[in-house]
Amino acid sequence: MVSSLDGYLGFLGLLATERLVELVLSQRNAARAFARGGVETGRGHYRVMVVLHSLFLVACGAEVLGLSRPFPGATGYAALGVALAAQVLRYWAIASLGEYWNTRVIVVPGLPPVTRGPYRYLRHPNYVAVVLELAAVPLIHGAWVTALVFSLANALLLRVRIRAEEAALGAAYAEAFAHKPRFLPEMHRD
């Protein structure tokens, strides 16, 4: 029988594999963007983001193993549901951006902003997925310190990242997304 700890560590392994696949896709898309005249900004904070996200999965496992965190039952299942929902949102955003998606801030001049998929509702659905993931994945197995520390660090990073990204995207982006919220979709009552 597989224990909750084995299942959790396996889940972290799958997330690590997923991130490696994303990096390969990102590098391919970045090369295409550069070939089309893409300009990169935000290189300084990118290094911080790589370190933060690399340490995240390690910290999840280390806290659970090092502090013998037990599986929290219903809370753990709820956190797993949120983490899986975050993955669905992440891949909806990636699919919507297509060849324009990558982990860096690279803008090809003259291209219109992508406004399909979750971008119809939010400016930054991928960052919503990351926020949900950084909070939920550790909580699947009770790693609340990791959830707190990495969520706070990510909030600070996103303040810098979003400003850099929105500035790089320019006026067309600002116009297309002027009435769309950054993180939470607006609920309209009819």
Side-chain angles (χ1 to χ4, degrees), residues 33 36-39 106-112:
R36 296 174 71 188
V39 177
I106 304 170
V107 177
V108 177
L111 290 180

Side-chain angles (χ1 to χ4, degrees), residues 30-38:
R32 287 180 178 167
F34 287 133
R36 296 174 71 188

Side-chain angles (χ1 to χ4, degrees), residues 149-175:
V149 168
F150 281 84
S151 291
L152 290 173
N154 187 60
L156 295 172
L157 176 63
L158 283 180
R159 285 180 51 96
V160 174
R161 172 100 174 165
I162 288 171
R163 286 181 182 149
E165 188 173 298
E166 289 184 352
L169 289 167
Y173 171 85
E175 184 179 323

Side-chain angles (χ1 to χ4, degrees), residues 43-66:
R43 293 181 105 179
H45 78 263
Y46 182 73
R47 291 181 187 103
V48 174
M49 187 177 76
V50 169
V51 169
L52 180 76
H53 287 258
S54 297
L55 291 176
F56 171 68
L57 294 175
V58 173
C60 288
E63 181 176 348
V64 169
L65 291 170

Side-chain angles (χ1 to χ4, degrees), residues 7 34 61 95 101 129 155 158 186 190:
F34 287 133
W101 177 84
L158 283 180
E186 295 176 350
D190 294 325

Side-chain angles (χ1 to χ4, degrees), residues 27-172:
Q27 289 174 343
R28 185 186 73 198
N29 289 345
R32 287 180 178 167
F34 287 133
R36 296 174 71 188
V39 177
E40 182 176 7
T41 59
R43 293 181 105 179
H45 78 263
Y46 182 73
R47 291 181 187 103
V48 174
M49 187 177 76
V50 169
V51 169
L52 180 76
H53 287 258
S54 297
L55 291 176
F56 171 68
L57 294 175
V58 173
C60 288
E63 181 176 348
V64 169
L65 291 170
L67 297 178
S68 300
R69 298 286 194 216
F71 179 71
T75 301
Y77 288 118
L80 177 61
V82 171
L84 294 175
Q87 297 309 304
V88 169
L89 180 57
R90 174 196 306 287
Y91 284 102
W92 188 20
I94 289 171
S96 297
L97 289 173
E99 69 181 67
Y100 304 117
W101 177 84
N102 68 70
T103 59
R104 296 154 59 182
V105 179
I106 304 170
V107 177
V108 177
L111 290 180
V114 172
T115 57
R116 65 183 169 273
Y119 295 92
R120 289 181 298 201
Y121 311 105
L122 300 172
R123 293 185 201 183
H124 301 289
N126 190 61
Y127 298 147
V128 171
V130 171
V131 166
L132 292 172
E133 181 181 71
L134 292 180
V137 168
L139 295 177
I140 293 170
H141 216 285
W144 64 269
V145 173
T146 299
L148 180 64
V149 168
F150 281 84
S151 291
L152 290 173
N154 187 60
L156 295 172
L157 176 63
L158 283 180
R159 285 180 51 96
V160 174
R161 172 100 174 165
I162 288 171
R163 286 181 182 149
E165 188 173 298
E166 289 184 352
L169 289 167

